[in-house]
Amino acid sequence: MNEVVLKLSGIEKTYKKGEPGEVQVLKGAELELRRGELVALVAPSGAGKSTLLHIAGLLDLPDSGEVEIAGEAMQGRSDRRRTAVRRDDVGFVYQFHHLLPEFTALENIALPQLANGARKTAADARAMELLNSVGVGERAGHRPAALSGGEQQRVAFCRAMANTPKLLLADEPTGNLDPETSDRVFGALVKLVRETGLSALIATHNLELAAQMDRMLRLDGGVLRAA
């Protein structure tokens, strides 16, 4: 439980916004996320939550500051190394599921494993195990269009977990769902996190859901603070 899976140190990020000039969205953001922690990130729309998650997940670069994943500093690493860390150690979940429409639920979860060198039988078995763990195993053979919104998002969670990452980053993962479905889907996500012992940073507007996590951080004026 002492292992620091994600560490952000002095993260700065500024965007140019045309005539009005620059907007600094992150001002020295600091974060330590330890193994097994489930942490909520709350802030109004436009406050920089997605930017912070993209930097944490190596999808974007900070203007300054350092990102460490599982003890490895990412500053100055090659694109190939950053891609490898992102593939092996980080799982992403977004507000929209982004499942591939031509593939079944099981295939959507098996594909990242196959791309990572897994054998098909092992990938399918892992996909089925994950689907069963979130209660949609019976929907394994259905394509995304045949699934409900809640089922689609649970499949998306499973896909993010397919390669057994150390870190899960989720950006408003229940934002498109009605309250009842949101509660059920969030419960499935928490179950996955607790059973696997990975770390999760989850951006959400839902303070009731945020209160169920281990702790809550608020992004306020570009600075991360305990909420």
Side-chain angles (χ1 to χ4, degrees), residues 5-19:
V5 174
L6 172 67
K7 184 176 182 179
L8 305 180
S9 305
I11 299 296
E12 308 263 344
K13 188 69 176 180
T14 298
Y15 291 111
K16 293 182 178 179
K17 292 290 185 180
E19 288 299 323

Side-chain angles (χ1 to χ4, degrees), residues 4-151:
V4 176
V5 174
L6 172 67
K7 184 176 182 179
L8 305 180
S9 305
I11 299 296
E12 308 263 344
K13 188 69 176 180
T14 298
Y15 291 111
K16 293 182 178 179
K17 292 290 185 180
E19 288 299 323
E22 298 179 336
V23 175
Q24 189 174 10
V25 292
L26 297 174
K27 302 176 182 177
E30 304 270 345
L31 169 67
E32 281 194 0
L33 185 63
R34 297 184 178 275
R35 186 176 187 274
E37 270 198 303
L38 183 61
V39 176
L41 175 63
V42 296
S45 295
K49 295 192 304 296
S50 295
T51 298
L52 183 74
L53 290 174
H54 287 169
I55 290 173
L58 309 179
L59 292 172
D60 195 4
L61 291 169
D63 296 329
S64 62
E66 182 62 272
V67 178
E68 293 181 28
I69 295 180
E72 181 178 353
M74 291 291 109
Q75 185 176 10
R77 296 291 184 183
S78 67
D79 286 344
R80 176 175 291 183
R81 180 57 188 155
R82 288 170 61 86
T83 297
V85 172
R86 188 167 61 241
R87 180 193 64 221
D88 295 340
D89 294 338
V90 184
F92 293 92
V93 181
Y94 298 97
Q95 186 168 344
F96 186 70
H97 58 78
H98 295 298
L99 298 172
L100 298 173
E102 65 271 32
F103 294 102
T104 65
L106 186 141
E107 290 167 341
N108 265 280
I109 302 164
L111 282 170
Q113 300 174 74
L114 296 173
N116 212 24
R119 294 181 178 274
K120 186 177 186 305
T121 51
D124 287 350
R126 167 74 173 159
M128 199 67 226
E129 176 188 3
L130 287 166
L131 288 169
N132 283 328
S133 76
V134 297
V136 289
E138 74 282 359
R139 310 292 278 167
H142 291 72
R143 291 185 172 86
L147 303 175
S148 70
E151 288 169 342

Side-chain angles (χ1 to χ4, degrees), residues 216-227:
M216 191 187 313
L217 298 174
R218 187 176 299 277
L219 187 57
D220 184 16
V223 179
L224 273 176
R225 298 185 172 90

Side-chain angles (χ1 to χ4, degrees), residues 16 47 66 72 82 105 118 153-154 157 160 164 178 215 217:
K16 293 182 178 179
E66 182 62 272
E72 181 178 353
R82 288 170 61 86
Q153 200 64 335
R154 279 181 278 176
F157 293 162
T164 318
D178 63 78
R215 57 189 171 104
L217 298 174

